[in-house]
């Protein structure tokens, strides 16, 4: 709350706060400081205020008395009375660009405390002498330091602003409470007994220090330099904590008096001026035509409005606190997840290094084997060549010794054998015998470029599967034999989702099957069984795989079927009306129209009321498959099972086969009932509640739609959503 009690100009607690026309507050001494004087006799304004008017050269430099016009005067001087001297500062007239008291803010100068003020307007030479005798006092401009609006005052000057006595009282209580708290708070590190009063509180350390302990234990250097030191915490006597500061307006406090009539207390509130007034203000007529209400009533009304507004702020503050808790938990989660990811990254990189080390060992083994193989080949070749060289050298030396002998007969005895031996020895040195069998180069080339490229491209990719989708139960519903499901992903989900898979069971607790795969989060499934309970679930998928299933939702289809005639599948000669519940035909030939519902399970009953019956036609009522022929009587092909009837009797017909002729026909006002029992796989007809013979057809299986054929002489109205009549109602079969 302390920030609310500080002046935006000086930054200290408010002293004699006044309320500006813009509803902001400022200290009265600060208002005197930022007020700017402009003599009324001046006809010129600086280019900053009137950019279209060239300013005189003298306006470029302020005169010697310019500073005196904007300097703050002492309170004693400002409070003193007098026409042109003592109360000059209080009668500063604030400049405005319009008569409303508000003007656009034109920034020019900026004071060290961040408050922008308008520049001083120097008086041109001789202006004082040229001013007419009795000219009014100088006017001034005052700019709100918060919204930068300028306002003007009447002849009362700054005294025309209302004192914010409520704020002044709150500041006083706050100062008293803070002083009491400072006196009560003790240093937590003192070794004296009793401890010294605390001077500061470190918000980071959450420790109270006296002045000596602060210098010794918490110097303003090193890691402590960034710590924030604040005054000691509030005391129970501080605002909001009880004590003497909790007294109300009537707790001995002097009632405020009118600013214009010192002897009168405020008793009324002027709604037009938004200010309290006294009875004398009303008698003088200044507020005669204004909307004036009792002060107490308006006080209660505005208190109620403020309390109501505070409720909304309180709710938002509560949400903000919960959000801060959520953010702090998020910080902890981020920290924990960061450590987990770091550990996972280190483990993965270590695994890569281990794999590379093992592969390096394998490659080194291959190099070692290749080197040993080459060395063995070379050594074998050296040994072989050395042996042959030794043999050849010995033979050469022996032959040379033989040649040296002078015994022709002895030489000829062995010469042939020696010649053969020399030739054989020469033949042993065949081509390639004096060439190395292996090369010194290794025919091993390690292609590490793809691996290096992969290492350089090693980066984070999607590492997690999509989270569990959340079913939006408020949007999930059933209608007739269709169900609609909606879902969404949890908030703060960063894993991308490429699509969803919706699964539904068979309505009997059987296995699930996929009914939708796509990116939408809303899906409607039609053509389900009536009076059945379905279980549904959904899961998300992305490039990493399929995520977990959502929670299961249970959906119950309607007990009875509600449907109408289907205009999209009807023959073009069929005419539908009454929201597609009444049908007739434009042709004298029979034409077929189907219902919008399809049945494959359960017991279903509907009725058709004959609205018009002329010239004894033969309408047919029954069921059919979706691909029934629609330009002839129902039942003439193998896709329909029907009862056609005239005014006297009826027949069952399927595949153009007429059976079970029964007495009893139809006329205007008659009602034809159709009972389809797919549990027993039969079809039964009724006319005016009377069953027409035994069940018409047996062993009916598949998917069927209500069907009707008629011509222009007949008009019928469909009635659905009916319970099976008690006399023919079948017990529900248990689910397998």
């Amino acid at each position: 709350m302390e920030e609310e009690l500080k002046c935006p100009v000086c930054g200290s607690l408010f002293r004699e706060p006044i309320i500006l026309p813009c509803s902001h507050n400022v200290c009265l001494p600060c208002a005197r400081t930022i007020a700017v004087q402009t003599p009324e006799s001046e006809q010129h304004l600086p280019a900053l205020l009137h950019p279209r008017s060239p300013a005189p050269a003298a306006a470029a430099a302020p005169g010697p008395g310019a500073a005196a016009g904007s300097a703050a005067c002492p309170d004693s001087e400002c409070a003193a009375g007098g026409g042109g001297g003592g109360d000059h500062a209080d009668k500063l007239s604030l400049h405005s660009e319009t008569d409303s008291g508000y003007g656009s803010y034109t920034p020019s100068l900026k004071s060290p405390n961040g408050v922008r003020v308008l520049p001083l307007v120097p008086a041109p030479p001789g202006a004082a002498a040229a001013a007419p005798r009795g000219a009014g006092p100088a006017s001034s401009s005052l700019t709100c330091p918060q919204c930068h609006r300028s306002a003007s005052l009447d002849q009362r000057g700054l005294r025309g602003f209302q004192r914010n006595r409520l704020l002044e009282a709150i500041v006083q209580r706050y100062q008293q409470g803070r002083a009491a708290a400072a006196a009560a708070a003790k240093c937590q590190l003192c070794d004296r007994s009793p401890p010294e009063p605390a001077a500061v509180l470190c918000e980071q350390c959450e420790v109270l220090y006296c002045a000596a302990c602060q210098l010794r234990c918490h110097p303003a250097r090193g890691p402590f330099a960034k710590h924030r030191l604040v005054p000691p915490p509030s005391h129970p006597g501080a605002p909001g904590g009880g004590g003497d500061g909790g007294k109300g307006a009537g707790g001995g406090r002097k009632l405020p008096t009118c600013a214009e009539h010192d002897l009168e207390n405020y008793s009324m509130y002027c709604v037009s001026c938004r200010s309290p007034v006294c009875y004398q203000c009303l008698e003088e007529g200044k507020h005669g035509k204004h909307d004036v209400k009792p002060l107490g009533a308006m006080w209660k009304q505005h208190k109620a409005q403020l309390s109501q507004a505070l409720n909304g702020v309180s709710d938002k503050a509560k949400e903000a606190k919960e959000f801060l808790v959520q953010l702090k938990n998020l910080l902890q989660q981020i920290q924990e997840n960061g450590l987990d990811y770091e550990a996972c990254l280190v483990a993965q990189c270590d695994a890569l290094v281990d794999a590379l080390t093992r592969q390096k060992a394998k490659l080194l083994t291959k190099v070692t084997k290749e080197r040993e193989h080459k060395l063995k080949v070379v050594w074998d070749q050296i040994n072989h060549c050395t042996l042959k060289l030794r043999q050849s050298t010995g033979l050469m030396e022996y032959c040379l010794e033989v040649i040296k002998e002078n015994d022709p007969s002895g030489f000829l005895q062995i010469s042939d054998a020696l010649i053969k031996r020399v030739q054989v020895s020469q033949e042993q040195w065949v081509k390639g015998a004096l060439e190395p069998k292996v090369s010194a180069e290794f025919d091993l080339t390690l292609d590490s470029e793809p691996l290096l490229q992969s290492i350089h491209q090693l980066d984070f990719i999607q590492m997690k599967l999509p989270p569990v989708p959340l079913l939006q139960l408020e949007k999930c519903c059933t209608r007739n034999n269709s169900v609609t499901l909606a879902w969404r992903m949890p908030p703060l989900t960063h894993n991308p989702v490429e699509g969803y898979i919706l699964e539904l069971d068979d309505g009997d607790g059987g296995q699930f099957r996929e009914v939708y795969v796509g990116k939408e989060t809303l899906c409607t499934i039609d053509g389900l069984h009536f009076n059945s309970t379905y279980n549904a679930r959904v899961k998300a998928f992305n490039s990493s795989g399929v995520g977990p299933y959502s929670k299961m939702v249970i959906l119950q289809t309607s007990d009875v079927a509600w449907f109408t005639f289907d205009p999209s599948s009807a023959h073009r000669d069929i005419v539908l009306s009454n929201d597609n519940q009444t049908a007739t035909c434009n042709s004298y030939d029979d034409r077929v129209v189907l219902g919008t519902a399809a049945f494959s399970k359960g017991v279903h009953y509907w009725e058709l009321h004959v609205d018009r019956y002329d010239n004894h036609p033969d309408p047919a009522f029954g069921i059919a498959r979706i691909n029934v022929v629609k330009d002839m009587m129902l039942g003439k092909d193998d896709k329909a099972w029907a009862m056609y009837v005239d005014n006297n009797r009826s027949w069952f017909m399927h595949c153009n086969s007429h059976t079970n002729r029964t007495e009893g026909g139809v006329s205007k006002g008659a009602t034809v009932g159709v009972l389809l029992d797919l549990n027993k796989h039969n079809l039964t007809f009724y006319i005016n509640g009377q069953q027409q013979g035994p069940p018409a057809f047996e062993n009916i299986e598949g998917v069927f739609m209500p069907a009707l054929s008629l011509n222009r002489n007949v008009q019928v109205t469909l009635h659905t959503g009916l319970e099976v009549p008690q006399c023919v109602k079948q017990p529900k079969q248990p689910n397998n």
Side-chain angles (χ1 to χ4, degrees), residues 98-122:
T98 64
D99 293 337
S100 63
Y102 290 91
S104 62
Y105 168 68
T106 308
S108 59
L109 304 178
K110 187 174 182 180
S111 64
N113 56 12
V115 179
R116 295 182 179 272
V117 298
L118 296 175
L120 295 178
V121 182

Side-chain angles (χ1 to χ4, degrees), residues 140-176:
S140 298
S141 298
L142 179 65
T143 301
C144 174
Q146 288 184 277
C147 65
H148 308 303
R149 286 184 176 182
S150 59
S152 60
L153 284 181
D154 52 19
Q155 66 276 9
R156 295 174 299 171
L158 292 176
R159 292 177 179 175
F161 288 124
Q162 296 182 8
R163 285 276 294 275
N164 195 337
R165 293 181 174 83
L166 191 65
L167 177 58
E168 194 171 358
I170 295 175
V171 170
Q172 184 179 2
R173 292 202 308 269
Y174 181 79
Q175 289 176 328
Q176 295 173 354

Side-chain angles (χ1 to χ4, degrees), residues 347-654:
Q348 289 179 316
C349 291
D350 290 345
L352 292 176
V353 173
D354 292 342
L356 186 61
T357 303
R358 291 192 297 270
Q359 191 64 23
K360 181 182 73 172
K362 292 181 181 179
L363 295 176
L364 288 175
T365 302
K366 289 185 178 181
V367 174
T368 301
K369 289 182 179 180
E370 182 69 14
R371 181 187 62 194
E372 292 176 352
H373 171 70
K374 286 179 176 290
L375 292 175
K376 182 178 182 303
V377 171
V378 173
W379 278 115
D380 290 345
Q381 195 172 9
I382 289 174
N383 294 332
H384 182 68
C385 184
T386 302
L387 177 62
K388 290 197 300 181
L389 179 61
R390 185 169 60 248
Q391 292 175 353
S392 298
T393 303
L395 180 62
M396 289 172 56
E397 292 175 353
Y398 175 70
C399 291
L400 290 175
E401 293 297 327
V402 171
I403 292 174
K404 291 179 182 180
E405 294 293 331
N406 295 323
D407 184 0
S409 60
F411 179 80
L412 293 176
Q413 287 178 348
I414 62 173
S415 61
D416 291 336
L418 287 177
I419 292 173
K420 289 182 179 180
R421 287 182 61 189
V422 171
Q423 290 177 347
V424 171
S425 177
Q426 183 179 0
E427 290 176 356
Q428 289 180 352
W429 300 97
V430 296
K431 185 178 180 180
L434 299 179
E435 294 179 0
K437 294 183 178 180
V438 294
S439 172
E441 301 295 333
F442 282 74
D443 297 332
L444 299 175
T445 302
L446 180 62
D447 187 10
S448 61
E449 187 62 29
L451 180 59
L452 290 175
Q453 186 175 1
S454 299
I455 292 175
H456 292 153
Q457 293 177 352
L458 186 63
D459 202 350
F460 294 102
I461 59 172
Q462 182 179 329
M463 301 178 64
K464 289 185 177 181
L465 297 173
V468 179
L470 302 178
L471 285 168
Q472 297 180 276
L473 300 180
E474 68 277 7
K475 296 182 179 180
C476 297
C477 60
T478 61
R479 184 181 181 277
N480 224 7
N481 64 332
S482 65
V483 297
T484 299
L485 295 106
W487 59 90
R488 63 178 178 86
M489 296 305 294
L492 301 177
T493 299
H494 303 291
N495 297 329
V497 176
E498 297 179 4
Y500 303 92
I501 300 175
L502 177 62
E503 295 183 357
L504 207 68
D505 67 359
D506 59 357
D508 283 330
Q511 293 184 347
F512 283 86
R513 56 189 175 90
E514 293 183 2
V515 295
Y516 171 76
V517 178
K519 297 182 178 181
E520 299 297 329
T521 58
L522 182 70
C523 181
T524 299
I525 303 100
D526 299 316
L528 302 177
H529 300 308
F530 286 90
N531 194 23
S532 298
T533 301
Y534 288 89
N535 296 311
R537 62 188 183 185
V538 65
K539 58 184 177 181
F541 64 87
N542 56 23
S543 57
S544 295
V546 180
Y549 284 106
S550 67
K551 292 183 178 180
M552 202 158 346
V553 61
I554 300 175
L555 300 166
Q556 175 72 40
T557 55
S558 300
D559 294 339
V560 294
W562 297 86
F563 59 91
T564 63
F565 292 119
D566 185 10
S568 62
S569 63
H571 192 276
R572 61 179 178 273
D573 292 336
I574 293 293
V575 178
L576 300 179
S577 59
N578 188 24
D579 294 332
N580 297 329
Q581 297 181 72
T582 300
T584 186
C585 183
N586 287 330
S587 174
Y588 285 106
D589 296 325
D590 291 306
R591 300 292 186 245
V592 174
V593 58
L594 301 177
T596 55
F599 305 117
S600 60
K601 174 185 173 183
V603 181
H604 308 281
Y605 178 76
W606 63 95
E607 293 180 349
L608 300 107
H609 184 268
V610 180
D611 303 327
R612 179 169 53 82
Y613 187 81
D614 303 327
N615 301 324
H616 310 297
D618 298 329
F621 311 88
I623 59 174
R625 300 192 189 278
I626 186 64
N627 56 346
V628 64
V629 179
K630 297 184 177 66
D631 57 359
M632 61 183 181
M633 179 181 289
L634 191 69
K636 286 193 173 183
D637 63 352
D638 60 347
K639 303 296 190 298
W641 293 257
M643 176 190 73
Y644 73 93
V645 58
D646 59 14
N647 60 328
N648 291 321
R649 59 188 66 84
S650 64
W651 295 264
F652 299 157
M653 184 166 63
H654 174 64

